[in-house]
Amino acid sequence: WSDATFYVERESGGIRPTVEYRYTPTQGTAGKITGTFFEDNVTNQDLWKVDAAHSQKLPNKFNLKGALDLGSNRSLTRFDDSTEIRSRLHSDSFANIERSWSNSSLDVTTRYQDTVGTDRDDTLGQLPMISYKIQSIPILKTPLYFNMDTSAAWFVTDLKSSDPGEDELFKTSRLDFHPQLSLALPLSPWFSVTPRVGVRETLYGRGLKQGGGMNRKLSGFSRESFDVNVSAVGPKINRIFHLKNSTTKLKHLIEPSLTFNFIPDIDEADRLKIKTFDGVDRVGPQNLISYALNQRVLKKVEARPS
């Protein structure tokens, strides 16, 4: 259930030994650990890199995935054959546990990202982020549907990322609560309208005011908002094609859609205190109309008795 590979490469400037260890002790559990070391005779520096990946099925249908991405300050990626790896800017170590139900999902992720190289010191940590989502579900026997996104997160970052020799860590927490109600209005078999209204409450453990090269850390605060979304789908147009000498049918469906999104410009004073980490922090005023023309090809095959 495990094996290892040892090999040595001759690089410009020295010898580079590497070891790979792979394992899969049980069904649903697997992983790989890679370690390499390089003594650079040109710069007289010791360079090293350790990578690990692990996946495992846990009890009660929970799934675990993780990765370890560590290395010396001066990167070894310039020796890699992959252009993507050679040009990457950040290391990324994480551990994730997730579980899905019929109409909801839970996700717990701990992540730490750091700069690859010595010219900057970008740091971002999610320690951890817990997300729980409820997909659209009907409310009793009414035409109303309910969905919700909620998350709790703890962040850490370096405010002086452009200066590798000096650190100024900023730590904050965030609790986001975003429920929505929608109403499905099938006006005809080929045209439907769905309005959706949501409210949003976001609590922050600390705020930040940046300006003039100075960072001033603020006390906790909250941001309030609401959103309106109206989507119209249709008129749907389709045509069925019969294949020659076959019972198989193809259906070509053209489905235009128009969507209106609106978020009012409120709570500006609190929005200016937010240190942006992801899309939740970037929520702000919006007045947007978008359209799309979706095309689908569906295949229908005659079922044969087994």
Side-chain angles (χ1 to χ4, degrees):
W1 54 268
S2 69
D3 64 68
T5 302
F6 302 86
Y7 54 96
V8 177
E9 296 174 281
R10 179 68 171 90
E11 305 284 2
S12 176
I15 301 296
R16 179 184 174 188
T18 302
V19 58
E20 289 184 0
Y21 176 68
R22 295 164 292 273
Y23 59 89
T24 174
T26 60
Q27 186 175 3
T29 301
K32 176 182 177 181
I33 303 172
T34 304
T36 185
F37 176 81
F38 179 64
E39 184 179 358
D40 194 340
N41 296 327
V42 177
T43 61
N44 294 320
Q45 289 183 312
D46 293 336
L47 311 181
W48 58 274
K49 186 79 173 70
V50 175
D51 293 294
H54 179 85
S55 62
Q56 182 176 352
K57 293 186 180 298
L58 301 177
N60 299 317
K61 298 184 179 180
F62 282 88
N63 297 303
L64 168 66
K65 289 184 178 180
L68 194 63
D69 186 357
L70 302 176
S72 53
N73 289 333
R74 187 162 174 260
S75 176
L76 264 169
T77 56
R78 69 182 189 274
F79 298 114
D80 201 283
D81 295 331
S82 169
T83 303
E84 180 181 356
I85 294 179
R86 290 203 309 270
S87 61
R88 73 179 190 144
L89 300 177
H90 299 90
S91 63
D92 186 11
S93 299
F94 70 92
N96 169 263
I97 296 177
E98 61 88 17
R99 168 76 153 89
S100 296
W101 293 269
S102 57
N103 291 308
S104 62
S105 62
L106 174 68
D107 186 285
V108 181
T109 300
T110 298
R111 171 170 264 113
Y112 188 82
Q113 296 176 323
D114 203 359
T115 303
V116 174
T118 58
D119 55 337
R120 290 184 63 86
D121 187 20
D122 295 294
T123 300
L124 173 61
Q126 299 176 354
L127 308 170
M129 175 182 287
I130 304 171
S131 302
Y132 180 68
K133 297 183 179 183
I134 299 177
Q135 307 298 328
S136 292
I137 56 175
I139 300 177
L140 300 177
K141 295 183 179 181
T142 69
L144 290 173
Y145 285 77
F146 172 80
N147 68 279
M148 182 181 68
D149 290 353
T150 183
S151 65
W154 291 260
F155 296 101
V156 59
T157 189
D158 184 7
L159 298 177
K160 295 188 175 181
S161 57
S162 59
D163 186 359
E166 186 176 356
D167 293 332
E168 184 181 353
L169 295 182
F170 175 73
K171 301 178 181 179
T172 187
S173 57
R174 185 188 72 201
L175 177 62
D176 182 61
F177 181 67
H178 184 212
Q180 291 179 306
L181 285 176
S182 59
L183 177 63
L185 299 174
L187 302 182
S188 72
W190 46 266
F191 184 75
S192 64
V193 176
T194 305
R196 178 179 287 108
V197 178
V199 296
R200 188 161 220 148
E201 177 77 17
T202 311
L203 306 177
Y204 289 88
R206 302 194 75 174
L208 182 69
K209 184 176 181 180
Q210 297 177 294
M214 300 294 293
N215 300 307
R216 184 159 66 93
K217 299 174 184 178
L218 309 174
S219 58
F221 63 99
S222 64
R223 177 196 64 186
E224 290 79 27
S225 183
F226 71 89
D227 52 88
V228 177
N229 173 281
V230 180
S231 63
V233 178
K236 300 177 183 179
I237 303 172
N238 70 83
R239 182 178 178 182
I240 298 177
F241 298 88
H242 299 265
L243 300 184
K244 292 183 178 180
N245 303 321
S246 174
T247 58
T248 300
K249 299 178 183 179
L250 294 179
K251 182 177 183 180
H252 181 205
L253 176 66
I254 300 177
E255 188 179 74
S257 64
L258 184 69
T259 304
F260 170 67
N261 289 289
F262 174 73
I263 301 176
D265 186 4
I266 59 176
D267 217 357
E268 180 181 8
D270 287 326
R271 293 202 314 269
L272 294 176
K273 302 176 186 177
I274 298 173
K275 170 62 178 175
T276 302
F277 292 100
D278 56 24
V280 173
D281 300 321
R282 287 188 287 270
V283 171
Q286 187 179 89
N287 194 351
L288 177 67
I289 296 177
S290 57
Y291 64 92
L293 184 63
N294 301 315
Q295 297 195 63
R296 303 178 188 178
V297 177
L298 309 176
K299 182 178 180 180
K300 184 178 182 180
V301 181
E302 183 181 5
R304 297 181 179 179
S306 56

